[in-house]
Amino acid sequence: MVNTVGLVLHPRRDSKEAIDTIIEWARGRGVTVVGLPEEVGRIDCSALPVGPAELAARSDLMVSLGGDGTMLRAMRLIAGLPTPVLGVNLGKLGFLAEIDVEELPPALTAIDAHEHFVEARMAVRTLLPDDGEVLAFNDIALVRHPGDGMAAVAVSVAGHPFVRLAADAVIVATSTGSTAYSFSAGGPIVSPNVEGFLVVPAAAHSTFNRALVLSADEEVTLEVLPTSGHIAVEVDGTIAGHLSPGHRITVTAVRAAARVVRLGSTSFYERARRKLRVNGSAEVD
């Protein structure tokens, strides 16, 4: 049974209709609605403002109102906790959002009655030399600074040297993130149920330019080579730190780092077909 609903809001999109729907649903059931002060404070609503730690600890259900970026932020907030996240789409079609705003009342009632299932999502994490530990549900990417030379990176798996890459970026992506930056760099589409992760070079100036698929039990070490320019480290699309030649990081998988609500209305493959505009061959059609 849901006693407390936590809210995570898109920084710009209008989420008032969705919040009003959640609060009205909660009021009739004696459910508390909480949210971050800087987010619920900008909207006239009765949601209780709490800090990030309390939001994660108190929520029986986290509701993400926005797109995939908002959903990823909600997942990072409750990483390691059993709290499931329901993604509500407020704009463009996303891979992670499960429902649209008009579907909220029956979806909340179904979740309260345990008429749903929960899908575990893997993350990847690493320790940055100057910025501490970071966790990503899509990807950790080592990206060249414009005008500052290529990202020259040596890739080792489980301590064994594998390949030296020169590229615009070297992306370490989860199966969830296979449809994000990794896909744009030519990586494969991977089912989110696969426990593994990818190493994908973007615009590689190397003989080897293929994706490497690793088990969740393996680790990959990325060493910035002396010939490399300075590198930005992007975590789920946000710059989290910087690396210089001589720095190295080791990326590992975190199984079931977060859980997302699924109601069975659409599948991953239906969302992939629509968002990526997957079509058949003209010769076949």
Side-chain angles (χ1 to χ4, degrees), residues 199-279:
V199 181
V200 183
H205 289 231
S206 308
T207 304
F208 184 87
N209 62 356
R210 303 296 183 182
L212 178 64
V213 183
L214 303 179
S215 157
D217 295 320
E218 295 177 303
E219 64 180 29
V220 61
T221 298
L222 307 176
E223 179 183 358
V224 184
L225 296 171
T227 56
S228 179
H230 291 284
I231 287 175
V233 181
E234 292 185 358
V235 176
D236 286 343
T238 300
I239 295 177
H242 296 83
L243 299 176
S244 298
H247 281 147
R248 66 171 61 192
I249 62 171
T250 296
V251 182
T252 56
V254 184
R255 285 185 169 91
R259 294 162 174 81
V260 299
V261 171
R262 290 297 180 216
L263 298 165
S265 54
T266 60
S267 71
F268 164 74
Y269 303 101
E270 289 173 294
R271 290 189 292 273
R273 278 182 59 85
R274 281 185 288 166
K275 183 160 186 176
L276 301 176
R277 298 179 181 178
V278 177
N279 294 310

Side-chain angles (χ1 to χ4, degrees), residues 50-69:
V50 297
E54 187 177 353
L55 178 68
R58 289 185 59 173
S59 299
D60 301 307
L61 171 70
M62 192 77 79
V63 180
S64 162
L65 301 175
D68 281 355

Side-chain angles (χ1 to χ4, degrees), residues 8-13 64-76 85-99 121 136-139 175-181 235-238 260 262 268 271-272 275-276:
V8 178
L9 312 184
H10 189 280
R12 294 178 300 278
R13 291 179 192 163
S64 162
L65 301 175
D68 281 355
T70 310
M71 186 73 171
L72 290 167
R73 187 160 56 87
M75 291 164 71
R76 288 195 297 272
V85 183
L86 173 66
V88 182
N89 180 39
L90 294 186
K92 299 177 182 178
L93 173 69
F95 281 99
L96 296 173
E98 181 68 5
I99 61 169
R121 291 299 177 101
F137 283 94
N138 261 359
D139 46 52
S175 50
T176 298
S178 71
T179 52
Y181 195 0
V235 176
D236 286 343
T238 300
V260 299
R262 290 297 180 216
F268 164 74
R271 290 189 292 273
K275 183 160 186 176
L276 301 176

Side-chain angles (χ1 to χ4, degrees), residues 11-193:
R12 294 178 300 278
R13 291 179 192 163
D14 183 7
S15 52
K16 188 174 187 336
E17 179 186 353
I19 292 175
D20 289 347
T21 300
I22 293 168
I23 288 175
E24 182 179 350
W25 177 89
R27 186 181 295 117
R29 292 164 175 79
V31 173
T32 302
V33 180
V34 296
L36 296 172
E38 64 272 20
E39 294 186 352
V40 298
R42 71 174 192 256
I43 296 172
D44 182 20
C45 69
S46 59
L48 180 67
V50 297
E54 187 177 353
L55 178 68
R58 289 185 59 173
S59 299
D60 301 307
L61 171 70
M62 192 77 79
V63 180
S64 162
L65 301 175
D68 281 355
T70 310
M71 186 73 171
L72 290 167
R73 187 160 56 87
M75 291 164 71
R76 288 195 297 272
L77 275 170
I78 53 86
L81 298 175
T83 309
V85 183
L86 173 66
V88 182
N89 180 39
L90 294 186
K92 299 177 182 178
L93 173 69
F95 281 99
L96 296 173
E98 181 68 5
I99 61 169
D100 294 324
V101 174
E102 58 270 17
E103 300 172 281
L104 257 171
L108 292 170
T109 299
I111 294 167
D112 193 41
H114 302 286
E115 296 172 355
H116 69 291
F117 63 96
V118 174
E119 191 174 86
R121 291 299 177 101
M122 199 189 80
V124 286
R125 68 181 168 198
T126 193
L127 183 65
L128 300 180
D130 300 319
D131 301 282
E133 185 175 274
V134 293
L135 184 79
F137 283 94
N138 261 359
D139 46 52
I140 296 171
L142 274 57
V143 184
R144 67 183 288 262
H145 281 280
D148 197 26
M150 302 299 296
V153 177
V155 179
S156 299
V157 179
H160 302 287
F162 182 72
V163 67
R164 293 155 71 93
L165 296 167
D168 281 357
V170 178
I171 307 156
V172 181
T174 64
S175 50
T176 298
S178 71
T179 52
Y181 195 0
S182 170
F183 179 79
S184 70
I189 296 174
V190 182
S191 165
N193 295 319

